Amino acid sequence: MSIAELNSRAAVTAAPIIPALAERWSPRAFDPSAVVPETALTAALEAARWSPSASNTQPWRFVVARRGTTEFDTIAATLMGFNQAWAGSASALIVAFAEVKDAEGNDRRWATYDLGQAVAHLSVQAHHDGLHVHQMGGFDGEALRTAFGIEDRFVPTSVSAIGVLGDPDALPDPLRERELAPRTRAALDDIVVVNA
């Protein structure tokens, strides 16, 4: 499958959805020579900034590191399992932190929900601008918190690789197989438990 074919892997949906959502997917093959335009990276972060937030608390913080920097290498070193095999080819790595307690120590039980929305907005904006994002949960969060001096009230929740689609043949097996496999999702009827 060519990169052009991979770029046009729109989801087969049960109802029409906007193209940026239907076409968005999470590759592991990134072009290791591509540099993300700063305007596109800033736009993705701006989309995260303007995502919905309970009581406008905006309980998200991001560490953004571009390939070739010490910060990028620090984040990459915390990745676990297969993530280390491919994420280093991304143009940037973004660590997302949820502010689970405010400065006074009060719980913000919605923080991870709001952070998820912020990262979702980031990924859709990035896709709109011709980039791809792959979110990961396999990383050493405490190592990240320590490396970047992040307070305990912020929980490292995800690391996102962002960049330009690359050659899936550069991936080791079985990652290459997963990259080329058909896109699937549970049926709508399986995820909507009540639709009165």
Side-chain angles (χ1 to χ4, degrees):
M1 186 176 294
S2 71
I3 292 176
E5 289 170 315
L6 283 172
N7 247 335
S8 62
R9 294 177 55 173
V12 177
T13 61
I17 61 176
I18 62 174
L21 293 174
E23 296 166 1
R24 186 220 58 82
W25 65 287
S26 303
R28 291 175 184 84
F30 286 97
D31 181 342
S33 64
V35 176
V36 170
E38 286 299 317
T39 54
L41 191 54
T42 300
L45 292 164
E46 187 69 1
R49 184 170 84 99
W50 284 98
S51 65
S53 170
S55 299
N56 200 28
T57 53
Q58 305 167 52
W60 46 69
R61 299 295 183 276
F62 301 100
V63 169
V64 181
R66 290 146 187 88
R67 189 180 55 243
T69 65
T70 301
E71 293 80 5
F72 183 97
D73 294 341
T74 297
I75 296 169
T78 70
L79 300 177
M80 298 177 175
F82 282 130
N83 292 337
Q84 283 199 343
W86 61 268
S89 293
S91 299
L93 294 173
I94 300 174
V95 184
F97 294 86
E99 184 185 23
V100 296
K101 290 188 181 295
D102 66 18
E104 290 75 42
N106 301 308
D107 288 338
R108 288 199 163 152
R109 61 181 179 80
W110 60 84
T112 53
Y113 178 85
D114 280 4
L115 174 63
Q117 291 194 87
V119 175
H121 280 66
L122 180 152
S123 70
V124 172
Q125 180 66 43
H127 184 83
H128 172 78
D129 289 337
L131 303 174
H132 284 82
V133 176
H134 187 112
Q135 301 168 47
M136 298 168 272
F139 59 88
D140 182 340
E142 286 310 308
L144 285 170
R145 190 198 316 270
T146 300
F148 295 108
I150 306 296
E151 297 175 59
D152 287 348
R153 64 194 183 93
F154 293 94
V155 174
T157 305
S158 67
V159 175
S160 294
I162 185 168
V164 175
L165 194 60
D167 184 357
D169 287 335
L171 294 171
D173 283 330
L175 294 180
R176 180 173 46 255
E177 294 168 17
R178 291 176 70 180
E179 192 83 347
L180 300 173
R183 297 180 63 196
T184 61
R185 282 291 194 267
L188 198 54
D189 288 342
D190 293 338
I191 64 169
V192 178
V193 295
V194 175
N195 191 5

